[in-house]
Amino acid sequence: MYDPMLETSPGCGKPYPESYWASQVSAAPEDDGVLTSDVEADVIIIGAGYTGLSCALYLAREHGIKAHVLEANKTAWGCSGRNAGFILKSTGRKTYAQMEQQWGSKIMHGIYDEMCQGVASVESLIAEGIDCDRQASGFLKLAHKPAVFPSLIEQAKLQQKRFGYPVEILSQGELREQYMDDQNAYGAIRYSDGFGLNPLKLAWGYHKLARAEGVKIHTHSSVESWREQGEYQILTTASAQIKAKKVVIATNGYTPKNFHQLINNRTLPVLSQVIVTEPLSAEQLQACNFLTENVVMDTRALKYFYRKLPDNRILFGGRGAITGRGADDPYFSQRLLKVLKSSFPALVNLRYDYAWSGWISVSIDDLPHIYQCEKNRVFYSMGYCGSGVAFSVQAGKRLAEKVAGITVPDLPLYQQPLQKFPLAPLRRVGQWGYFQYGKVKDKWL
Ligand SMILES: Cc1cc2nc3c(=O)[nH]c(=O)nc-3n(C[C@H](O)[C@H](O)[C@H](O)COP(=O)(O)OP(=O)(O)OC[C@H]3O[C@@H](n4cnc5c(N)ncnc54)[C@H](O)[C@@H]3O)c2cc1C
């Protein structure tokens, strides 16, 4: 698999991975094909995932700027077509308590409002007619051991107090009776507004909306080199040269090695792995008391997440390999299946039908950054830390405002660049160390 820490290109024209999502769609939406002739453009967006597509859509709709989107492979070939499809009011890994401690209550509320707007924007774009198999609302956060349940309850109470956000507290018994009999769960909190959907269909929906506004989306058009010429950016693909006044980098975890000085060594691409099981029979569902289609995540440092899909399969995910070379090792899928079976022992004979992984983008301060370099007019948004399905649309909207020269809220998300990783060449050693720490913490601390 492509490894963004080692390779300078994600490839060109590669097919989608053999994911469950790809099995649920038919013909891809029409696009503008390979860019074959030289172009001069006001705005070029690199990457056709949620960030790039939403930025293009809002640029066209709200600012009258028709961008060209260049995608190396296919629309949503990166994370946007591979994720678990959890729509949540969150991004990054920083907790609200940490934000409040670092920046105070006003900034924490400002960031919370942005996350809420992200979910509202996804909902309103879906309402324009995107058929993406949206499921009933509800997000369960499970205590993975008894000792963490009190702090989960504390978290729920704080969110109720600070944001008036209704969060339900479920005892172990209530959870197992009313939602699912997960043997690894010791209580939960439940938010009523998260939900699951088919992420690839969502991205294709954004693609269609953007093209309907006059955006050009060129697939199989990988940006291979980049230089500055006066006030222009000159980008080169295999078959064209592009002269642009402004460039938006929307490549997130798929950003190639040494792609641009603004972002080099400022993120860590980390593999997240997913399996989708065969469909559960009525007897299997009953044996697990699997009543819910709420999206589910636990409290581990090395989190597991799952959801029941519309055809009664279970999607189950967690961390994957460290390098691209290890990505397809069945060990990582088997490990997920084993954990799933430990949660639901009645599923002892269950197999999985699909397995795939994708690169999330982790920033050192656990927050995404939507930033620009005024001098050379290059913009970017990345570092969602594995939580960007909803927020990337808000990021796309704010990026569009920045490109159009409009002032965006004064929040660390939008005003600070990504920080450099210290000892950047050793990022993976640090990742390995964190995985070891996480294993110990999740089991013993
Ligand atoms: C397994 C997995 C599960 C996840 N589950 C969830 C979830 O349930 N909820 C949630 O909120 N988040 C989840 N995420 C994270 C979420 O998917 C991402 O935050 C989001 O999709 C990022 O979108 P993006 O548009 O910024 O990047 P991407 O969708 O990754 O798009 C980047 C694109 O840039 C293109 N590109 C790269 N280099 C070039 C180049 N040189 N030229 C042209 N194009 C280029 C790539 O081909 C790629 O298509 C998950 C991620 C993974 C991997």
Side-chain angles (χ1 to χ4, degrees):
M1 182 194 253
Y2 161 62
D3 190 329
M5 284 276 280
L6 305 176
E7 293 171 59
T8 52
S9 166
C12 196
K14 284 188 184 166
Y16 290 114
E18 288 178 10
S19 72
Y20 171 76
W21 309 126
S23 78
Q24 300 296 296
V25 291
S26 46
E30 221 174 276
D31 60 41
D32 296 284
V34 186
L35 189 64
T36 48
S37 52
D38 292 356
V39 175
E40 191 165 333
D42 286 338
V43 180
I44 289 288
I45 298 173
I46 308 173
Y50 303 136
T51 304
L53 294 171
S54 58
C55 179
L57 173 64
Y58 289 116
L59 266 177
R61 255 190 201 174
E62 295 183 0
H63 311 289
I65 299 171
K66 307 264 165 55
H68 290 247
V69 180
L70 300 181
E71 165 56 49
N73 296 300
K74 292 168 180 285
T75 288
W77 176 83
C79 263
S80 299
R82 299 171 191 241
N83 64 71
F86 288 31
I87 296 290
L88 302 176
K89 277 183 188 164
S90 67
T91 193
R93 288 163 46 92
K94 217 179 184 81
T95 63
Y96 288 112
Q98 289 167 329
M99 292 181 203
E100 188 169 38
Q101 200 180 24
Q102 188 171 350
W103 298 305
S105 163
K106 195 171 161 218
I107 298 240
M108 175 195 67
H109 277 276
I111 294 177
Y112 176 72
D113 286 347
E114 292 297 304
M115 307 219 187
C116 294
Q117 284 183 47
V119 174
S121 299
V122 174
E123 302 241 27
S124 89
L125 293 174
I126 292 175
E128 290 186 36
I130 302 180
D131 171 13
C132 55
D133 306 332
R134 187 200 158 134
Q135 292 182 284
S137 294
F139 165 38
L140 289 160
K141 198 159 177 190
L142 309 183
H144 74 281
K145 53 187 176 187
V148 298
F149 194 34
S151 61
L152 204 51
I153 293 174
E154 197 54 36
Q155 195 180 321
K157 288 187 176 156
L158 277 176
Q159 290 191 5
Q160 277 162 350
K161 195 168 132 203
R162 285 181 182 131
F163 309 124
Y165 191 1
V167 190
E168 213 182 323
I169 296 164
L170 299 166
S171 68
Q172 186 183 43
E174 287 167 330
L175 176 75
R176 292 183 177 184
E177 273 160 38
Q178 296 168 28
Y179 294 91
M180 71 279 165
D181 190 7
D182 183 333
Q183 299 292 306
N184 289 327
Y186 295 88
I189 58 176
R190 181 175 181 275
Y191 302 84
S192 55
D193 54 2
F195 60 93
L197 47 64
N198 179 321
L200 182 58
K201 287 189 179 177
L202 181 71
W204 284 9
Y206 295 165
H207 171 117
K208 287 182 197 159
L209 291 177
R211 282 192 87 240
E213 298 288 345
V215 171
K216 297 263 185 252
I217 302 176
H218 295 284
T219 52
H220 299 209
S221 301
S222 176
V223 174
E224 302 292 351
S225 69
W226 183 334
R227 68 188 158 85
E228 278 178 29
Q229 190 181 76
E231 59 181 27
Y232 289 97
Q233 304 294 318
I234 310 292
L235 311 179
T236 317
T237 66
S239 48
Q241 180 167 288
I242 306 103
K243 192 172 173 187
K245 288 190 185 141
K246 297 181 182 178
V247 177
V248 174
I249 309 175
T251 49
N252 201 46
Y254 285 78
T255 308
K257 187 180 176 191
N258 295 334
F259 195 53
H260 193 275
Q261 63 198 10
L262 271 185
I263 48 174
N264 292 344
N265 298 328
R266 288 169 195 258
T267 57
L268 170 64
V270 172
L271 276 173
S272 181
Q273 174 84 31
V274 164
I275 57 171
V276 170
T277 68
E278 57 190 338
L280 270 61
S281 65
E283 293 72 34
Q284 285 172 316
L285 289 170
Q286 202 180 13
C288 309
N289 198 35
F290 215 128
L291 303 171
T292 189
E293 53 184 37
N294 284 184
V295 295
V296 183
M297 194 180 287
D298 71 13
T299 39
R300 286 179 170 84
L302 306 176
K303 291 191 189 334
Y304 293 110
F305 49 89
Y306 65 88
R307 53 183 277 218
K308 178 157 65 86
L309 298 168
D311 56 1
N312 290 333
R313 297 170 188 271
I314 299 178
L315 175 152
F316 198 89
R319 77 196 156 90
I322 290 189
T323 63
R325 202 146 61 131
D328 299 324
D329 186 337
Y331 165 80
F332 296 99
S333 307
Q334 290 295 347
R335 190 176 60 190
L336 292 179
L337 189 64
K338 197 168 151 199
V339 180
L340 167 62
K341 289 179 180 177
S342 72
S343 283
F344 302 104
L347 303 182
V348 61
N349 294 320
L350 196 70
R351 291 168 309 161
Y352 64 84
D353 285 344
Y354 301 89
W356 69 93
S357 58
W359 295 103
I360 64 168
S361 168
V362 174
S363 60
I364 195 147
D365 64 354
D366 291 338
L367 267 188
H369 289 263
I370 293 82
Y371 200 67
Q372 75 290 335
C373 175
E374 302 292 356
K375 188 177 127 279
N376 56 14
R377 295 184 291 180
V378 176
F379 303 74
Y380 65 78
S381 173
M382 55 184 73
Y384 306 110
C385 304
S387 182
V389 179
F391 182 72
S392 55
V393 172
Q394 185 65 8
K397 194 184 234 174
R398 295 299 187 200
L399 262 179
E401 288 169 355
K402 279 178 179 262
V403 170
I406 290 168
T407 306
V408 303
D410 186 9
L411 296 171
L413 293 169
Y414 303 131
Q415 308 297 349
Q416 295 172 1
L418 284 162
Q419 292 163 30
K420 267 203 172 125
F421 273 74
L423 302 175
L426 300 180
R427 275 170 287 176
R428 283 203 165 144
V429 178
Q431 183 187 350
W432 180 86
Y434 181 78
F435 282 178
Q436 302 313 309
Y437 157 78
K439 279 191 230 167
V440 173
K441 179 168 187 278
D442 290 340
K443 193 153 182 199
W444 304 109
L445 306 181

